[in-house]
C-alpha cells in the first residue's frame, strides 16, 4: 500500500528548505485548527494525515517509535521558534502556477 512517496517529495532538504514546504517551526503551530477536518489537530494527527492522504499509506501507531522519531525531529529543527512567531517561509507554496494538462497532448 502506498504511492512510494516519502516526506522529502514535498518537504525538500529534510524539511529545512524554505522554498519547499518547510517543516521548521511546525511544533510551534500545533495543535492547530484544520479547516478540512473541522477540528483541532495535534502534530501527530497531522503527520498521520499526511501519511494517509498524501502518501496513500497507513497511519503510524500512536506512541510508535516511528511517529515519536518524526515528532522529535520536528521539535529539534523548531527549537528556536516560539509559539506565535512569524514564519515567513510558511504557506509559500500554492497551486496558482500549476500547469493545466491538455487532453489533446500525446505523450510517447
Amino acid at each position: 500500500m502506498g504511492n512510494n512517496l516519502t516526506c522529502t517529495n514535498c518537504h525538500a532538504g529534510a524539511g529545512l528548505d524554505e522554498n519547499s514546504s518547510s517543516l521548521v517551526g511546525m511544533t510551534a503551530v500545533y495543535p492547530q485548527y484544520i479547516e478540512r477536518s473541522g477540528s483541532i489537530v495535534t502534530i501527530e494527527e497531522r503527520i498521520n494525515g499526511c501519511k494517509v492522504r498524501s502518501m496513500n499509506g497507513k497511519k503510524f501507531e500512536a506512541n510508535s517509535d516511528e511517529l515519536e522519531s518524526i515528532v522529535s525531529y520536528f521539535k529539534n529543527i523548531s527549537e528556536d521558534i516560539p509559539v506565535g512567531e512569524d514564519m515567513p517561509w510558511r504557506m509559500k507554496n500554492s497551486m496558482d502556477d500549476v500547469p493545466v494538462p491538455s487532453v489533446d497532448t500525446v505523450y510517447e
Side-chain angles (χ1 to χ4, degrees):
M1 177 178 222
N3 54 19
N4 295 320
L5 294 178
T6 67
C7 299
T8 57
N9 286 102
C10 296
H11 306 283
L16 301 174
D17 186 338
E18 290 184 4
N19 296 310
S20 181
S21 296
S22 176
L23 296 169
V24 175
M26 289 303 98
T27 56
V29 298
Y30 282 88
Q32 177 182 146
Y33 177 78
I34 303 293
E35 190 172 336
R36 181 185 303 123
S37 66
S39 62
I40 295 174
V41 175
T42 65
I43 191 69
E44 293 85 356
E45 290 169 324
R46 181 63 186 98
I47 292 165
N48 271 331
C50 193
K51 185 87 161 119
V52 169
R53 187 177 38 45
S54 299
M55 300 167 84
N56 195 32
K58 292 183 179 179
K59 291 181 180 181
F60 292 113
E61 293 293 324
N63 303 315
S64 68
D65 290 343
E66 294 86 356
L67 184 57
E68 288 183 2
S69 294
I70 293 171
V71 172
S72 293
Y73 176 68
F74 287 6
K75 287 179 180 177
N76 182 271
I77 64 174
S78 304
E79 68 182 350
D80 294 326
I81 312 286
V83 172
E85 178 76 13
D86 180 43
M87 293 180 263
W89 59 88
R90 283 196 71 221
M91 311 302 272
K92 286 178 68 173
N93 298 341
S94 75
M95 297 301 285
D96 295 339
D97 296 323
V98 174
V100 177
S102 169
V103 294
D104 297 327
T105 303
V106 176
Y107 297 98
E108 294 183 35

